[in-house]
Amino acid sequence: MGARSVQIFVALLLSVFVFINASGIVWPSYALKILESENSPLGYQITKSDGNLLGSIGMVGCLTTILFSGYVNEKFGRKRSAVLIGLCFVLSWSIITTAKSVTQLVIGRFIFGMAGGMQIVLGYDVVNYINLSIPVSLIVALSFLKETPPYLLKMGKEEEALLSLKFYRGATTVSQDILEEFAYMRQQQMFNKSNAGLPRAKLIEKQNEKEDLNLEDLRDSHENVDQNPWKILRESKSSQRAIVLIAIQMILSVCVGMIGIQTYAGQMFRRAAPHISPDLCSVLLAIVLAIAGSMAIVITDMIPRRVLMISSSLMAAVSMALLGSLLRWSWAPEWAIPLTIVIYCIFFQIGVINVPFVQVGECVSPQLKTFGTTVGMFSMFLANFLVLFLFEPAVSIIGLNGVFFVFAIMGVVSATVAFFFMRETRKVPFEIIQETFEVGFVYRKH
C-alpha cells in the first residue's frame, strides 16, 4: 500500500469517530418518540422527564472523562486511547440495544457520553444494532494501525517510532528520505522538551540556532529544565487570557443552539412543520451538516478568523430570529422553516463551532495545548449539558419560538465577544498572537 493510500485510510478510519459521535447525539431525536409511545420497546411509556434526562445525560459522561482524557492520551498513546474509546461505544450501544428499563438506557447514554455517534432513520432496533456494529468494526480496523511516531519518540521507543514512520509513509524499506524525516522529528521533539518554559525571545534565538545544537547536550540539559505546565500557566498572562477566551467562545458557540436542534431534531420538526416528514427533515439535516463540515475545512483557510467568526455568528443569529418569527407569526410557507434551519446549520458549522477549535492550536503554546484543549472541551460539554437539560423546560415555558429568539440573542453575544476580544490568528506568527494577549484581554490590532 502506497504512502497516500495509507494516509487516506488512516484519515477515513479516524473520521469514523466523528460519525459515531454525531449518531449518538441525534439518537434521542427519533428514539424518544418511540420510547414515549404505547409501543415502546421497553414495554411501557417513558415520561417526559425521563426523555429529557436521556437527551442530556450523555454530556455528563463527557464531563467526567474530559478532565483526564489528556492524561490517558499521553499515558497510553493515541492508538490505545482510540481503542478504549471504541470499547466505550461498544459497551454503550450494547446496553442501549438490550435495555429493558429507563435506568439501563440512562447508563448506556452516560457511557456513550464518555466517547460519541451519526445515523440514518430506520427501525429502533435496527439503528441500535447498526450503531453497535460500527464501533466493533472500528476497533478491528484500529488493530492494524501503529502508534504515532511522535508519541513513540516521546516514550523513548526510537526503533518502534522508525518502523511506525515507515508504515505511515507506505514504504517497504527504511529509505534515506525516511531516515532524514525521522532525524528531524527526533531533533524537534528533543528541542521542544528541552526549551519548555523559556522566555519567548530566548526561544526564538535558540530556534534560529537549533540546527547547530548538539543533540547530546540537549538530552543532558533536559533533566534541568522545568516542564511543569502549571508553572508555565501561572507565569504567563498571555496563556491565561488565551485559554479563558477560548473557553468563553466554546460556551457561546454551544449557546447559539445547534446541540438542541441536533438532539431534538425530530420533535422540533414535528412541532415547527407538522405537515412535512420529520424523518425526511432529520436526514436532510444530517446531510447538510456533513457537507457544511467539509466546507468548513476549506473556508477556514480562506477567510480571516475574526471575520469568519463574527459573520457566521451574526448569520446564525439572523436565522434563529427568522425561525422564531416564522413560528410566532407564520408569515411564510411551512417549507421555509426547514430551509431556514438548513441555512442556520451551514453558517454554524463553517464558523461558529469551527473557529474556536482552530484557535486552540493557534493561541496556546505547545506545552499548554493539552491543557487548553481540556479546558475548552470541558466548557463546551458543560454548556451542552445545560442547553440540553433546559431545552424542553424552556420550550414548555416560552415556546419553541421563544427558545429560537434566545438562541438569536446568544448569536449576537458571540459576535460581539469575537469583535472585542478575539485575536486574528490566520497567517499570524504565534509570537505576535501572544503579544496581543500580553497587552490586555481586549483586542488591539498589532
Side-chain angles (χ1 to χ4, degrees), residues 269-270 273-281 334-336 338:
F269 282 126
R270 282 192 295 274
H275 298 102
I276 300 177
S277 170
D279 292 347
L280 175 61
C281 292
E334 198 172 76
W335 54 261

Side-chain angles (χ1 to χ4, degrees), residues 66-113:
I66 195 64
L67 295 175
F68 57 83
S69 59
Y71 170 79
V72 171
N73 198 43
E74 292 297 321
K75 181 69 175 178
F76 300 103
R78 280 55 172 170
K79 178 182 174 179
R80 290 194 182 106
S81 297
V83 172
L84 180 60
I85 293 172
L87 289 173
C88 286
F89 285 136
V90 172
L91 179 60
S92 169
W93 285 113
S94 296
I95 294 174
I96 292 173
T97 302
T98 58
K100 296 302 178 184
S101 69
V102 173
T103 301
Q104 288 176 286
L105 286 176
V106 169
I107 293 173
R109 289 291 293 168
F110 179 85
I111 296 174
F112 167 82

Side-chain angles (χ1 to χ4, degrees), residues 190 194 214-225:
M190 297 175 66
S194 299
N214 182 285
L215 296 184
E216 292 298 326
D217 292 340
L218 281 174
R219 185 180 291 112
D220 293 338
S221 65
H222 168 60
E223 299 178 357
N224 298 320
V225 179

Side-chain angles (χ1 to χ4, degrees), residues 31-317:
L32 291 183
K33 177 185 177 182
I34 300 171
L35 293 168
E36 292 173 356
S37 69
E38 295 180 356
N39 298 320
S40 171
L42 300 182
Y44 61 92
Q45 292 177 262
I46 68 171
T47 65
K48 290 292 184 181
S49 59
D50 288 337
N52 192 32
L53 180 61
L54 286 174
S56 59
I57 192 64
M59 295 305 159
V60 179
C62 292
L63 289 172
T64 60
T65 57
I66 195 64
L67 295 175
F68 57 83
S69 59
Y71 170 79
V72 171
N73 198 43
E74 292 297 321
K75 181 69 175 178
F76 300 103
R78 280 55 172 170
K79 178 182 174 179
R80 290 194 182 106
S81 297
V83 172
L84 180 60
I85 293 172
L87 289 173
C88 286
F89 285 136
V90 172
L91 179 60
S92 169
W93 285 113
S94 296
I95 294 174
I96 292 173
T97 302
T98 58
K100 296 302 178 184
S101 69
V102 173
T103 301
Q104 288 176 286
L105 286 176
V106 169
I107 293 173
R109 289 291 293 168
F110 179 85
I111 296 174
F112 167 82
M114 301 168 72
M118 172 154 192
Q119 84 199 9
I120 52 178
V121 182
L122 300 169
Y124 177 84
D125 292 332
V126 175
V127 169
N128 288 341
Y129 280 114
I130 289 176
N131 278 313
L132 174 59
S133 66
I134 292 174
V136 171
S137 303
L138 178 62
I139 292 173
V140 173
L142 283 170
S143 66
F144 293 98
L145 299 185
K146 294 185 180 297
E147 184 53 78
T148 59
Y151 178 79
L152 291 171
L153 277 174
K154 184 177 181 179
M155 295 293 104
K157 301 178 180 179
E158 296 193 358
E159 185 175 342
E160 292 182 36
L162 181 58
L163 293 176
S164 174
L165 182 61
K166 185 186 77 170
F167 169 78
Y168 284 110
R169 292 296 174 261
T172 55
T173 59
V174 179
S175 64
Q176 184 63 32
D177 289 341
I178 291 178
L179 286 174
E180 290 177 357
E181 183 178 0
F182 180 74
Y184 175 80
M185 190 180 295
R186 182 173 59 180
Q187 179 183 0
Q188 191 69 34
Q189 183 85 260
M190 297 175 66
F191 179 83
N192 288 338
K193 287 182 178 180
S194 299
N195 292 281
L198 288 181
R200 186 173 63 256
K202 184 65 176 178
L203 183 60
I204 295 172
E205 179 184 341
K206 295 195 71 177
Q207 178 72 26
N208 293 333
E209 299 173 356
K210 74 174 182 177
E211 295 297 333
D212 299 325
L213 293 175
N214 182 285
L215 296 184
E216 292 298 326
D217 292 340
L218 281 174
R219 185 180 291 112
D220 293 338
S221 65
H222 168 60
E223 299 178 357
N224 298 320
V225 179
D226 189 347
Q227 300 180 65
N228 189 338
W230 292 104
K231 183 175 185 297
I232 299 172
L233 183 64
R234 287 197 303 269
E235 297 176 352
S236 175
K237 288 291 185 182
S238 59
S239 296
Q240 294 172 15
R241 290 166 180 157
I243 291 174
V244 169
L245 179 59
I246 288 171
I248 292 174
Q249 288 183 307
M250 289 285 193
I251 293 172
L252 290 176
S253 296
V254 172
C255 292
V256 176
M258 174 58 78
I259 190 66
I261 289 179
Q262 283 182 307
T263 304
Y264 298 104
Q267 299 177 60
M268 187 185 66
F269 282 126
R270 282 192 295 274
R271 294 173 181 172
H275 298 102
I276 300 177
S277 170
D279 292 347
L280 175 61
C281 292
S282 297
V283 171
L284 290 176
L285 178 63
I287 294 174
V288 168
L289 289 174
I291 295 175
S294 301
M295 291 170 54
I297 299 174
V298 178
I299 293 176
T300 303
D301 284 333
M302 295 174 57
I303 302 176
R305 307 285 189 258
R306 294 182 76 250
V307 173
L308 183 58
M309 188 66 180
I310 294 171
S311 59
S312 62
S313 295
L314 289 176
M315 291 307 299

